[in-house]
Amino acid sequence: MKVADAEVYPERNLVQRDGVDTPLTPRSMDVLVYLAARPGETVTAEQLLDAIWESDYIADNAVHKAISEIRQALGDDAKKPRYIRTVRSRGYLLVADVLEDQPVPDPSRTPRRYVIPLSIALLVCGFIVARVFWPAEPQITSIAVLPFENLNADADQQWLSDGMTAEAIDMLSRISEFRVVARSPTLRAAALNVDAIGGQLDARFMVEGKVLRADERLRVNVRLVRVADGATLWSARFDEPLEDVFGIQTKVAVELAEALHDEFGVATPSKLRRSRYLTTDVRAYELIVKGYAAQSRFSAQGLHDALRLYLQASTIDPTYGQAYASIGSAYYWLWILGLDRREAVWADAKTAAQRALQLDPDNGDAHVLLGDINLEEGDWSAAQQMWEKGLALSPGHGHAHGELGRFLLLTGRVEQARVHILRAVDLDPEDQRVRFIAGLLHVIEGDYQAAFAQYEQGGSDVITLWSTAYAHHKAGDDVRAGALLLRIPDGPLGFERHTLWPARPVLEAAFDSGGFLGVQRAVLDHQIRDSGDCTAEPITAALLFAILGESERMFHCLAIAQPANATERLNISGHPAFDAYRQDPRFVEVVRRVVPRY
């Protein structure tokens, strides 16, 4: 279409005027097309936000910037407008003629000003409908967030930089055009050059920061770096009283978002749902962040240390919803990991999660925790709803992506699962549980090389080693599979249950005689040596019998199985070892009996 003397090509996001081509960002082009479809009509910023951005997180300045970009492309002057006029306190009005590139109707019958011929009006409206209701796939840009560096010699101040990192990840995760890659404290910009970091994280851009507490002031330096050439695209320095730590976090997030908008034209989240910071007491917040660090060790000591810190935070501020969500999480993991299986611990986890939502209905962590609890209790529909609600509130919640992905994967929804699982890997790249889930995804998809890559980064615990061996078996390499099983140490198997693994000499002899399948047979013999059947661990035994191809013994074990936890139910629902038997009426009956409806 033509807007006065300018040629406008919406499908190319291009404006041509006086022989000069000027590109527009897609959103700015959408704004221009929207205005062109409404000649003579003053369009408010709110209308544009609703039609073009469709988000609660965008401020009016996103519209102002789009209008400014359009004016610059058209050579317009806001004080003496020839194209777009600002109507004070109301909105924007396109005052230029919009014409087809062909003869127009008789001016004596139809005024040219503000009127669009029917054909172009239909074209423009059709373009808007296509943009709004069938938008093109967003151009995803990968951006890595490195842990903000603590410049204080005192490690006790690490919580300040951890909080800044979490806020940056939370904000960036709310922008759909970005694929956010988080990073553990083991990798910092000082340790590797920008190219190495970008390559290792598969990121085009990188955010890094430094935090220093000087007496009662907090100083924060942040910069946005382009990985390709190491150029600093934006940087800022903040120096504020320590008591305003929440205000500093907001300033860092908002200014970073504005910088990204300027660079990429993406939406700017102006309304951040910051449930974890809904306290007025910095001491309570400090305890929560320190508790996260302790809990991340996932040991009995770490979880008890975290619980103590969370309880202190709830005492300092009894209205702090995040404190109760964190208390519930600590109790949940103590129970799930088999470190404290008292009924009171499970009850305390549920009570704390429910209390968190009473105090803070928009708390993403509390919704996710209730999803975990619902899964374990067999209400799978409620679990999925809670995870999805939690992710709507906290899009950067890696654990929620991982658990929802695992659930979708093992209930047969592989494509949906893939999105969440790979998102979880980006957000929690060193979480062994996430790597295990990603490995299983690739095994189910038949991409064994990708599975090996995930398992290699998932640690050397019993479950990961066994899963890696199973993937090699599926890929046809039983020698490598058996060798991996020999690396499994004596002792408890798994998080929830405690099946003893055979002694190494037994495994070595089994491997020499039968390779991978020989080792599996040795494990089964070891498991059922006391009871004579599979009553001790029926689902584990059924899984091994399935791998060995002994269907009758597998069905015998499944017939007496009473799954003790969600993992066992999910394995029956979707583990690939059972795929060959899923159409058998006996297996269908087992699924009907033990797998919850969802």
Side-chain angles (χ1 to χ4, degrees):
M1 63 182 176
K2 293 189 70 173
V3 178
D5 59 343
E7 301 276 353
V8 179
Y9 301 91
E11 72 283 358
R12 294 164 57 194
N13 293 320
L14 186 71
V15 173
Q16 189 178 75
R17 182 172 172 273
D18 296 334
V20 177
D21 291 350
T22 304
L24 288 180
T25 61
R27 288 247 169 81
S28 294
M29 179 58 75
D30 289 348
V31 170
L32 177 55
V33 172
Y34 192 92
L35 293 173
R38 290 160 176 75
E41 178 183 337
T42 299
V43 177
T44 66
E46 288 75 15
Q47 284 177 274
L48 291 168
L49 287 172
D50 289 342
I52 308 301
W53 279 268
E54 295 185 292
S55 174
D56 292 335
Y57 296 101
I58 314 305
D60 289 354
N61 62 353
V63 175
H64 303 331
K65 289 184 177 182
I67 294 293
S68 177
E69 184 184 0
I70 295 168
R71 282 174 171 156
Q72 185 174 3
L74 295 172
D76 202 11
D77 184 345
K79 296 181 180 179
K80 297 178 181 179
R82 294 187 301 118
Y83 297 90
I84 300 175
R85 177 187 300 158
T86 299
V87 182
R88 187 182 295 273
S89 300
R90 291 189 59 198
Y92 303 96
L93 173 68
L94 187 69
V95 297
D97 294 333
V98 179
L99 304 171
E100 288 182 304
D101 193 13
Q102 58 183 334
V104 297
D106 183 350
S108 65
R109 295 170 60 89
T110 307
R112 292 178 62 199
R113 196 170 186 78
Y114 309 140
V115 177
I116 306 176
L118 178 60
S119 59
I120 192 170
L122 291 173
L123 175 65
V124 170
C125 289
F127 179 78
I128 291 171
V129 169
R131 284 277 187 151
V132 173
F133 294 102
W134 292 279
E137 286 294 318
Q139 186 66 37
I140 302 298
T141 296
S142 53
I143 183 165
V145 180
L146 297 186
F148 282 39
E149 187 175 354
N150 173 24
L151 296 181
N152 289 89
D154 183 3
D156 196 49
Q157 302 304 316
Q158 181 66 39
W159 67 275
L160 290 166
S161 52
D162 288 348
M164 291 290 174
T165 306
E167 178 73 356
I169 292 172
D170 180 77
M171 183 277 297
L172 290 171
S173 297
R174 299 178 186 279
I175 303 176
S176 60
E177 290 89 347
F178 288 129
R179 168 181 159 259
V180 180
V181 184
R183 191 66 247 175
S184 80
T186 61
L187 178 64
R188 296 192 185 277
L192 297 170
N193 61 37
V194 172
D195 286 342
I197 293 173
Q200 190 171 125
L201 302 184
D202 187 25
R204 293 178 58 201
F205 300 90
M206 183 176 73
V207 175
E208 64 174 1
K210 301 179 187 297
V211 180
L212 175 68
R213 176 177 179 174
D215 295 324
E216 292 305 308
R217 296 193 69 81
L218 188 61
R219 295 168 184 165
V220 181
N221 292 323
V222 189
R223 70 175 185 138
L224 174 66
V225 179
R226 184 168 54 221
V227 170
D229 57 7
T232 297
L233 303 179
W234 167 85
S235 64
R237 184 174 186 274
F238 305 87
D239 188 340
E240 304 286 345
L242 177 63
E243 64 185 17
D244 192 30
V245 60
F246 304 130
I248 299 172
Q249 289 175 335
T250 300
K251 288 179 182 179
V252 170
V254 169
E255 291 199 23
L256 177 57
E258 292 290 343
L260 293 166
H261 179 281
D262 292 342
E263 180 69 22
F264 304 106
V266 298
T268 305
S270 62
K271 191 166 67 177
L272 303 177
R273 290 194 177 104
R274 299 164 56 251
S275 295
R276 72 183 67 189
Y277 310 125
L278 291 181
T279 180
T280 58
D281 197 307
V282 175
R283 294 175 303 159
Y285 168 69
E286 175 184 348
L287 290 167
I288 292 298
V289 178
K290 287 181 175 179
Y292 292 156
Q295 181 169 330
S296 67
R297 301 198 298 270
F298 283 101
S299 64
Q301 187 62 53
L303 287 167
H304 283 294
D305 288 346
L307 183 58
R308 174 177 51 80
L309 293 166
Y310 298 151
L311 289 168
Q312 289 178 25
S314 69
T315 301
I316 291 172
D317 184 353
T319 66
Y320 191 9
Q322 185 61 40
Y324 292 94
S326 301
I327 289 168
S329 177
Y331 280 128
Y332 169 83
W333 284 109
L334 283 168
W335 196 92
I336 283 292
L337 297 180
L339 301 172
D340 191 340
R341 281 296 178 85
R342 291 175 298 154
E343 291 184 6
V345 171
W346 187 254
D348 286 343
K350 293 175 63 174
T351 300
Q354 291 161 353
R355 178 59 176 157
L357 285 187
Q358 290 174 351
L359 294 168
D360 180 7
D362 288 341
N363 188 291
D365 287 353
H367 282 89
V368 172
L369 175 57
L370 284 173
D372 295 341
I373 291 171
N374 286 328
L375 180 78
E376 198 65 30
E377 293 187 339
D379 191 345
W380 286 10
S381 293
Q384 182 173 350
Q385 291 171 10
M386 281 294 178
W387 287 324
E388 290 173 346
K389 177 66 172 177
L391 286 171
L393 295 167
S394 301
H397 203 301
H399 171 77
H401 280 291
E403 286 304 289
L404 178 56
R406 179 175 74 123
F407 171 70
L408 293 170
L409 179 66
L410 292 174
T411 52
R413 292 166 283 181
V414 178
E415 289 304 314
Q416 292 174 263
R418 162 179 271 274
V419 174
H420 290 287
I421 292 171
L422 297 185
R423 189 86 179 87
V425 172
D426 285 340
L427 291 165
D428 286 333
E430 295 193 359
D431 186 324
Q432 292 186 12
R433 188 180 179 93
V434 166
R435 291 290 185 180
F436 166 76
I437 295 168
L440 183 58
L441 164 70
H442 295 310
V443 168
I444 289 174
E445 291 179 325
D447 188 350
Y448 300 114
Q449 292 302 318
F452 302 151
Q454 293 292 347
Y455 287 139
E456 283 172 4
Q457 299 183 65
S460 57
D461 61 282
V462 173
I463 293 177
T464 301
L465 286 171
W466 187 91
S467 299
T468 309
Y470 176 71
H472 280 283
H473 166 67
K474 293 285 288 184
D477 188 353
D478 276 5
V479 173
R480 176 62 177 158
L484 283 166
L485 292 180
L486 294 181
R487 291 173 52 192
I488 296 176
D490 301 347
L493 170 63
F495 288 118
E496 295 87 4
R497 310 300 292 273
H498 297 282
T499 300
L500 294 181
W501 199 250
R504 183 167 303 279
V506 175
L507 290 177
E508 290 175 348
F511 176 66
D512 289 340
S513 62
F516 172 78
L517 295 180
V519 174
Q520 299 295 350
R521 168 65 62 191
V523 172
L524 270 172
D525 290 343
H526 185 81
Q527 185 189 76
I528 64 177
R529 64 183 177 182
D530 295 327
S531 60
D533 59 19
C534 54
T535 54
E537 295 281 355
I539 293 176
T540 300
L543 190 67
L544 297 179
F545 279 128
I547 292 171
L548 291 168
E550 297 189 21
S551 59
E552 293 306 315
R553 298 189 73 179
M554 178 198 74
F555 280 119
H556 168 71
C557 294
L558 289 176
I560 64 174
Q562 296 294 333
N565 52 57
T567 295
E568 292 186 344
R569 296 186 185 97
L570 284 169
N571 278 337
I572 292 174
S573 173
H575 197 285
F578 293 124
D579 285 352
Y581 309 101
R582 294 197 180 280
Q583 301 306 313
D584 190 299
R586 291 172 293 177
F587 197 90
V588 173
E589 173 59 24
V590 171
V591 171
R592 186 199 64 77
R593 178 171 60 85
V594 304
V595 175
R597 297 180 64 84
Y598 54 89

